[in-house]
Structures are given as C-alpha cells and as structure tokens.
Amino acid sequence: RPGPLSGYMAGKGIRFATLWRKDNNKAPHPTPKINLTVKQFEDTIADMRKKGMDPHGTSAYRGADGAVRYIAGFTERGKGQHWEERHDLTADDYQTQLDHWSSNDYKLSSVHVYETPDGTRFMATAVKEDGDSFMWQERHGITGEQYQKTFDKLGEDGYRPRSICEYLEDGKPHFAITWIKYNKK
C-alpha cells in the first residue's frame, strides 16, 4: 500500500514519488488523492473522516500554474485514535501548533514544508491515541550539518527519522524532520 506521497515540478510537468509498504493489514486503503485545490483537499479530508479514515501522508506542491496543489493520503482510524491535520501554517503558526499538540498528548506523525505565493508554509499531522506507542522529536529550520548532528544524537537515544522534508530558506537548503522512538511493550 502507498505510504507518504510527494509531488514536485520536473521540467514543465508534475512528478510524484511515494514509498510502498507491504504488511499484513488486509483492510482496504483508499488511493491517495492528488492535485487537489485547498477546498477539494479540505472537503476530501472531511468526507474521509466520516468514513473512519484520517489524513496521513499529506503534502503540497506548486503546480505548473504556480498554484498550490495538495495530496491527501489516508489511514484507517485505529481504536482510541484521533488524528489532526494542519496546513498553510507560517513557521510561527507551526511552532504554536507543535506546542499545542505537545501539551495535549498528541504525537507528531509527519511534517511537510512547501512554497506558496505567500511564502513558505508548513503542513503536519499528529495523532492522539490510547496507550503510549511512541515518543517523538521534531526539528525544523535546521541546516544539513545541524541535521546530521541531531540525527547522530537522537539515533544514539533510539530515535529514527519518520518524515524528512528539505526546503529552501533564504535560498539555502534547510530541513524539517520528525523522529520517533517506539516504546517497548
């Protein structure tokens, strides 16, 4: 089944990249929806939530016309889970959302950074669930060197990257990363 999906410009056309995961989950997984306007994206999420599916693996990109387009991936809601998705957040809004999620026992699942005509925006999903299956760390606005140092340190502590997004900040590459560490059962 498809995992996170990303869209990007290549020449004059849009291309897509995804990870595929083979597992024992026999439940049907809806095909990710691509090339959505913001209204279509929000309507699709609302519709899928009514069907017990939550956004997971969402991302955004600028289309050939310069307009932002969204990708909506979904996962079946697990027992005791509540997912939240936020998009079109400035860096300050994103930090406020992270603080809110952290203080309300949500766990950041993914982060994606994208360009809009109004500047850089953040998109993220988080889950609140019964039990404590994983812990998380997040960093954004860090350089490649800072990423490597953080990767090394968190790796020593048992964390693994879950989502990595490179983006330009002041014309230079920066990263937004989510790390997770599964709790032993």
Side-chain angles (χ1 to χ4, degrees):
R1 62 189 169 105
L5 180 66
S6 183
Y8 59 95
M9 283 294 298
K12 294 182 180 181
I14 301 297
R15 300 288 185 264
F16 298 94
T18 190
L19 298 173
W20 292 84
R21 175 176 35 203
K22 183 176 182 179
D23 59 25
N24 294 327
N25 189 338
K26 304 294 185 206
H29 295 279
T31 302
K33 312 297 186 211
I34 62 172
N35 213 32
L36 302 173
T37 65
V38 68
K39 180 170 180 0
Q40 291 170 327
F41 178 71
E42 291 167 350
D43 290 348
T44 299
I45 288 175
D47 181 56
M48 294 301 284
R49 280 200 164 129
K50 291 176 189 172
K51 297 175 182 176
M53 305 295 284
D54 288 305
H56 182 66
T58 58
S59 64
Y61 58 94
R62 288 187 71 175
D65 61 357
V68 176
R69 295 289 185 259
Y70 294 86
I71 297 171
F74 297 92
T75 188
E76 187 173 28
R77 184 177 308 128
K79 186 176 181 178
Q81 285 185 334
H82 178 75
W83 289 83
E84 288 193 357
E85 182 278 336
R86 298 291 183 269
H87 57 278
D88 199 31
L89 301 173
T90 64
D92 289 343
D93 293 339
Y94 175 61
Q95 186 60 57
T96 299
Q97 187 64 51
L98 288 175
D99 294 343
H100 168 77
W101 279 334
S102 182
S103 65
N104 286 283
D105 296 323
Y106 278 84
K107 297 172 179 119
L108 188 65
S109 178
S110 66
V111 59
H112 180 74
V113 187
Y114 58 103
E115 287 300 315
T116 74
D118 298 321
T120 302
R121 294 295 186 264
F122 290 76
M123 166 186 279
T125 56
V127 62
K128 186 174 189 175
E129 58 189 350
D130 294 341
D132 196 20
S133 63
F134 69 92
M135 298 180 293
W136 62 278
Q137 297 270 335
E138 186 278 346
R139 304 288 188 280
H140 61 279
I142 63 174
T143 66
E145 184 178 323
Q146 291 167 324
Y147 167 73
Q148 187 61 57
K149 287 178 181 176
T150 306
F151 179 93
D152 294 343
K153 170 67 174 111
L154 289 178
E156 289 173 10
D157 294 338
Y159 285 87
R160 299 293 176 255
R162 182 163 193 170
S163 69
I164 303 169
C165 185
E166 179 192 21
Y167 61 99
L168 294 178
E169 190 174 287
D170 299 325
K172 297 178 182 161
H174 284 74
F175 295 87
I177 308 106
T178 302
W179 280 274
I180 63 169
K181 177 179 178 179
Y182 287 101
N183 295 324
K184 294 188 174 30
K185 294 186 179 193

